[in-house]
Amino acid sequence: MFDRVWLNANLCTMADGLGVVRDGAVAARDGRIAWVGPRAELPGPAAETVDGGGAWILPGLVDCHTHLVFAGNRAGEFERRLSGVTYEEIAREGGGILSTVRETRAATEEALVESALPRLDALLAEGVTTIEVKSGYGLETEAEARMLRAARRLPGHRAVSVVTSFLGAHAVPPEYRGRQGDYARMVAEEMLPAIAAEGLADAVDAFCDRIGFTEAETEAVFDAARRLHLPVKLHADQLSDTGGAALTARFGGLSADHLEHASPEGLAAMAAAGSVAVLLPGATYFIREPRHPDVAAMRAAGVRMAVATDMNPGSCPTRSILLMLNMACTLYRLTVEEALLGVTRHAAAALGLSDRGALLPGLRCDLALYRVSAPAELCYWMGGNPCAGRVVEGMPT
């Protein structure tokens, strides 16, 4: 007998493209999908039957790139950019990431949890069941650890799965001004081992770009991650082509994210390595980056494409993954199928998670239900929220 079965619904299994099943059913047992297919073929009874009310059921959405935990905001910098100052100019003046560092260092762990919850709630309300959360606004061992501890606590407050990434190599803190190489070595040799010893990180990230860290500095951090048996991912080629896509591929990285300036050669290397390209259209939009990722080259190379919010206080203060679907289609010209794969199956792959992202027997029963007439509506509407419910490990939330 199944624990629970959802009936009177249409399915996007995301197992083979959209994998549409009209008048389908999903059955759960012990938090896993036990059966999925046409309702007429459902093989057995369930302890509980849930009427889907004609909704479309997708795998629970996966937001695979966020900076959800931070203190303060940067609305003042937003006003400056409206007057013509660029994101890069603000960063070089000591603003940008460093302004959030000052606020986050001063915040307690409890304050970080409390400030993150409303942002998390907005994503959950749209159907997110798994979210990645990065550090990177502490830039010292204890502050970075505090951010990651706060992220680890979120599932104790909400029904959500959280994956954490250590992003100590996000920017150079004020106390290391003019000594970027020294700071990068400290991240690799001191911060990362301490974070790993406490079990706070599921992966290691870095920002490799002309206002970030050099290729050699990033390699040192990634070498340290490899010694600690932690997978890597990279903020790559956002503002210039610094070879971040190829660097990610050399280390077998889970993903390279942004990629506005990545070369076709770098993208081909990612495809060969199995690294996922994480597209962040909200950041492109918000900082008015004129160059977009080379989606045609990604398709030609066979790179899997994910879509994420990049929720952060400086370059993408969004709380809507559904809006990111629309932006991915309108700005980058993704198809509906590509965009929806980007927040389900491919997003799960970008986090190294093979147990979710599709409606298949044996995977986690994480579901998102939507009151729409067709899956394309999830990418079509700009604003509004058709999510009618979430299921996390077989339990409605």
Side-chain angles (χ1 to χ4, degrees):
M1 177 180 286
F2 301 126
D3 296 335
R4 190 170 287 106
V5 63
W6 286 263
L7 302 172
N8 188 21
N10 301 304
L11 316 178
C12 281
T13 68
M14 311 311 297
D16 182 14
L18 289 177
V20 170
V21 179
R22 294 188 178 273
D23 193 15
V26 179
R29 184 186 298 120
D30 297 328
R32 299 275 166 167
I33 296 172
W35 187 89
V36 60
R39 175 167 59 166
E41 299 175 15
L42 184 66
E48 180 182 352
T49 299
V50 180
D51 184 349
W56 281 85
I57 299 179
L58 274 72
L61 304 191
V62 177
D63 192 351
C64 64
H65 182 130
T66 86
H67 303 255
L68 182 80
V69 172
F70 60 85
N73 68 69
R74 304 214 306 254
E77 292 179 8
F78 173 66
E79 284 192 284
R80 290 192 64 201
R81 289 210 310 279
L82 292 178
S83 68
V85 182
T86 69
Y87 178 78
E88 187 170 349
E89 287 170 339
I90 290 171
R92 292 192 183 282
E93 292 170 2
I97 291 169
L98 294 182
S99 64
T100 300
V101 169
R102 289 189 289 272
E103 299 255 18
T104 302
R105 283 181 172 182
T108 65
E109 183 179 318
E110 190 64 36
L112 291 174
V113 171
E114 290 302 314
S115 65
L117 285 173
R119 298 189 283 268
L120 177 62
D121 286 340
L123 292 173
L124 303 190
E126 292 190 343
V128 170
T129 55
T130 298
I131 186 169
E132 185 252 20
V133 181
K134 303 179 190 296
S135 65
Y137 294 130
L139 306 187
E140 61 184 14
T141 303
E142 177 49 37
E144 289 286 299
R146 190 185 318 130
M147 290 185 69
L148 293 168
R149 291 188 204 108
R152 290 284 203 220
R153 287 177 55 187
L154 296 176
H157 295 267
R158 301 291 188 269
V160 66
S161 180
V162 171
V163 176
T164 57
S165 296
F166 168 64
L167 182 57
H170 194 195
V172 179
E175 60 269 26
Y176 276 86
R177 185 180 300 276
R179 296 187 295 131
Q180 178 167 307
D182 290 342
Y183 177 70
R185 281 190 292 276
M186 193 269 285
V187 170
E189 297 172 7
E190 299 179 29
M191 292 175 68
L192 179 49
I195 294 294
E198 199 173 333
L200 291 175
D202 299 308
V204 174
D205 200 346
F207 180 32
C208 182
D209 215 314
R210 64 190 181 203
I211 62 169
F213 292 85
T214 68
E215 183 175 348
E217 291 162 348
T218 303
E219 284 181 337
V221 173
F222 281 6
D223 281 333
R226 180 179 282 170
R227 290 193 295 272
L228 293 164
H229 308 291
L230 286 170
V232 300
K233 51 182 49 229
L234 188 64
H235 285 60
D237 304 331
Q238 179 185 12
L239 303 173
S240 61
D241 181 8
T242 52
L247 172 59
T248 302
R250 288 201 301 277
F251 280 84
L254 293 172
S255 72
D257 305 24
H258 287 291
L259 298 170
E260 284 88 338
H261 293 262
S263 68
E265 295 77 15
L267 297 173
M270 285 180 59
S275 303
V276 178
V278 178
L279 306 181
L280 304 170
T284 299
Y285 165 81
F286 194 74
I287 67 172
R288 301 176 67 189
E289 169 59 47
R291 182 155 172 171
H292 295 174
D294 191 344
V295 169
M298 293 178 188
R299 289 173 180 145
V303 181
R304 291 172 295 176
M305 295 180 287
V307 176
T309 61
D310 192 19
M311 175 190 284
N312 74 77
S315 63
C316 194
T318 183
R319 303 181 184 210
S320 174
I321 196 165
L322 296 181
L323 180 58
M324 298 305 100
L325 288 175
N326 177 275
M327 287 187 174
C329 293
T330 55
L331 293 179
Y332 297 166
R333 310 310 292 171
L334 263 62
T335 66
V336 167
E337 179 178 306
E338 287 171 334
L340 293 178
L341 281 167
V343 294
T344 54
R345 193 166 189 168
H346 294 170
L351 298 178
L353 301 175
S354 60
D355 65 345
R356 67 199 73 184
L359 304 183
L360 287 170
L363 300 192
R364 280 173 54 116
C365 188
D366 289 353
L367 312 176
L369 286 71
Y370 296 99
R371 303 288 186 196
V372 293
S373 62
E377 285 196 53
L378 297 175
C379 303
Y380 164 73
W381 290 107
M382 297 174 63
N385 180 12
C387 186
R390 294 186 315 133
V391 175
V392 176
E393 289 194 287
M395 295 294 295
T397 65

